[in-house]
Amino acid sequence: MIQTLEWTSSGVRFIDQTKLPTEETYVTCTTHQQVADVIRNMVVRGAPAIGVAAGMGVALGIQNSEASNVSALESDFNSIAEIIAATRPTAVNLFWGIRRMRDKFDSLKCRPIPEIKAALVEEAQRMHAEDIAANQAMGRHGATLMPERGGVLTHCNAGALATAGYGTALGVIRAAVEQGKKIHVYADETRPFLQGSRLTAWELMKDGIPTTVISDNMAGAMMKQGKIGAIVVGADRIAANGDVANKIGTYTVAILAKEHGIPFYVAAPFSTIDLATPDGSKIPIEQRNSKEVTHIAGRQMVPDGVSVENPAFDVTPAKYVSAIITERGIARTPYETSLRSLDRTDR
Ligand code: MRU
């Protein structure tokens, strides 16, 4: 399995996703500030991977703390958490990961500092293992929705690289292929950061899953030609009513799917579901540097001075979502009730 990120004795090690698909290199962070930088710069990206990275970043910061009493350690915890929380606003997993470390820390406040430090490392490693298990469970549930054969379209990268391993949307596809379904993946290239062509295609090729990369503006034509039997994407945050924030362009794909009568599925773990946010209009959307749009591989593609927008995510209204695949089962409309009832389900 691809090692997206891992806790090692010398720090937190990440595969550098900005260098893929041509270079497979790794970056090791030894401070929480470095972890914050790799999240912000998208060396690591994808909501569940960001959540686990946040947990490991907190654990790393606490290991490095020189605090000699628990109240000084708590003040270090607060500043570490603040630095990591300020990296990317949309994926709720980032805040979920920090919250989980905070809860662990709170439960240990009366313990000696070395014990707290060790327990936070263990908690971050547990989050890593649980994410892989959640993706595998999601795969088992979601595979039942995949066609026996034919094209499945995905947008962005919701694969092993976007998680601790196996993937959400690509986990569903992997599980379906493992069950013997003959799936051919259509990967939207996903402008401007090209997660589809660089990352989704890279990991599916490694697994030998047949894949065709298309530019984003080809998706409608592929659907019209009958090449797509289902769509499955990941999510960065799902509101209580089932509205889905995911990579920019997902909304367009969902509307095209509706027009062509193709099921549009979202696969995401519960760490991505934000029941405290009532609907998609309340989800903060990250605006990224305009250079991601104006330049491709370092080469300027638009005239100097032109205005550019670069929202990293859009929100797909729940009415376009055929089902939400989670590790606890499949939710269907009305999502207000189905998500809440799965939230109360034990895995
Ligand atoms: O900007 P990114 O690459 O972090 O965006 C990633 C996505 O939008 C993914 O689809 C989402 O995080 C789900 S990953 C399992």
Side-chain angles (χ1 to χ4, degrees), residues 42 45-48 50 88 155-159 162-163 168-169 193 195 234-236 246-247 267 286 312-313:
M42 310 219 343
R45 30 71 45 208
I50 290 172
R88 299 192 71 191
H155 189 76
C156 192
N157 172 265
T163 62
T168 59
F193 212 73
Q195 289 94 330
D236 288 84
N246 190 47
K247 181 52 55 196
E286 177 183 9
F313 304 97

Side-chain angles (χ1 to χ4, degrees), residues 184-204:
H184 187 112
V185 177
Y186 284 82
D188 276 351
E189 94 182 319
T190 318
R191 276 278 290 148
F193 212 73
L194 304 177
Q195 289 94 330
S197 55
R198 293 190 304 106
L199 309 176
T200 294
W202 181 77
E203 59 170 279
L204 292 177

Side-chain angles (χ1 to χ4, degrees), residues 5-58:
L5 74 170
E6 64 178 325
W7 182 273
T8 73
S9 53
S10 43
V12 187
R13 184 175 179 262
F14 298 91
I15 190 167
D16 186 346
Q17 301 195 30
T18 64
K19 301 279 190 333
L20 291 171
T22 49
E23 281 174 53
E24 189 175 332
T25 54
Y26 293 81
V27 173
T28 299
C29 296
T30 55
T31 67
H32 65 276
Q33 289 93 342
Q34 289 171 353
V35 172
D37 285 344
V38 300
I39 295 173
R40 191 178 295 105
N41 300 335
M42 310 219 343
V43 166
V44 64
R45 30 71 45 208
I50 290 172
V52 177
M56 290 188 173
V58 169

Side-chain angles (χ1 to χ4, degrees), residues 12-233:
V12 187
R13 184 175 179 262
F14 298 91
I15 190 167
D16 186 346
Q17 301 195 30
T18 64
K19 301 279 190 333
L20 291 171
T22 49
E23 281 174 53
E24 189 175 332
T25 54
Y26 293 81
V27 173
T28 299
C29 296
T30 55
T31 67
H32 65 276
Q33 289 93 342
Q34 289 171 353
V35 172
D37 285 344
V38 300
I39 295 173
R40 191 178 295 105
N41 300 335
M42 310 219 343
V43 166
V44 64
R45 30 71 45 208
I50 290 172
V52 177
M56 290 188 173
V58 169
L60 196 54
I62 290 293
Q63 295 316 291
N64 292 337
S65 166
E66 288 172 1
S68 55
N69 59 60
V70 172
S71 103
L73 191 65
E74 180 161 24
S75 127
D76 283 352
F77 188 110
N78 292 340
S79 67
I80 293 163
E82 201 177 315
I83 287 169
I84 294 175
T87 51
R88 299 192 71 191
T90 304
V92 75
N93 308 59
L94 179 83
F95 309 100
W96 169 89
I98 295 170
R99 176 83 248 163
R100 189 157 151 175
M101 297 301 277
R102 157 87 55 196
D103 290 346
K104 191 72 195 172
F105 182 82
D106 287 347
S107 74
L108 293 163
K109 274 188 190 158
C110 55
R111 311 301 305 165
I113 288 182
E115 200 181 305
I116 299 177
K117 289 186 171 184
L120 290 183
V121 174
E122 277 166 28
E123 187 67 4
Q125 288 174 310
R126 199 171 300 123
M127 283 161 64
H128 185 274
E130 283 177 14
D131 186 58
I132 296 172
N135 292 333
Q136 288 166 336
M138 222 176 288
R140 285 191 294 277
H141 295 302
T144 59
L145 300 173
M146 293 293 104
E148 279 307 316
R149 58 182 60 250
V152 173
L153 184 133
T154 190
H155 189 76
C156 192
N157 172 265
L161 289 167
T163 62
Y166 202 67
T168 59
L170 296 192
V172 167
I173 290 171
R174 284 193 166 98
V177 170
E178 283 160 20
Q179 286 176 10
K181 293 190 172 181
K182 304 273 176 270
I183 288 176
H184 187 112
V185 177
Y186 284 82
D188 276 351
E189 94 182 319
T190 318
R191 276 278 290 148
F193 212 73
L194 304 177
Q195 289 94 330
S197 55
R198 293 190 304 106
L199 309 176
T200 294
W202 181 77
E203 59 170 279
L204 292 177
M205 292 293 285
K206 262 183 176 293
D207 274 8
I209 297 176
T211 304
T212 298
V213 171
I214 56 172
S215 63
D216 301 338
N217 51 3
M218 296 173 189
M222 296 299 130
M223 292 185 205
K224 183 128 203 248
Q225 289 166 29
K227 290 183 174 163
I228 312 294
I231 291 146
V232 60
V233 298

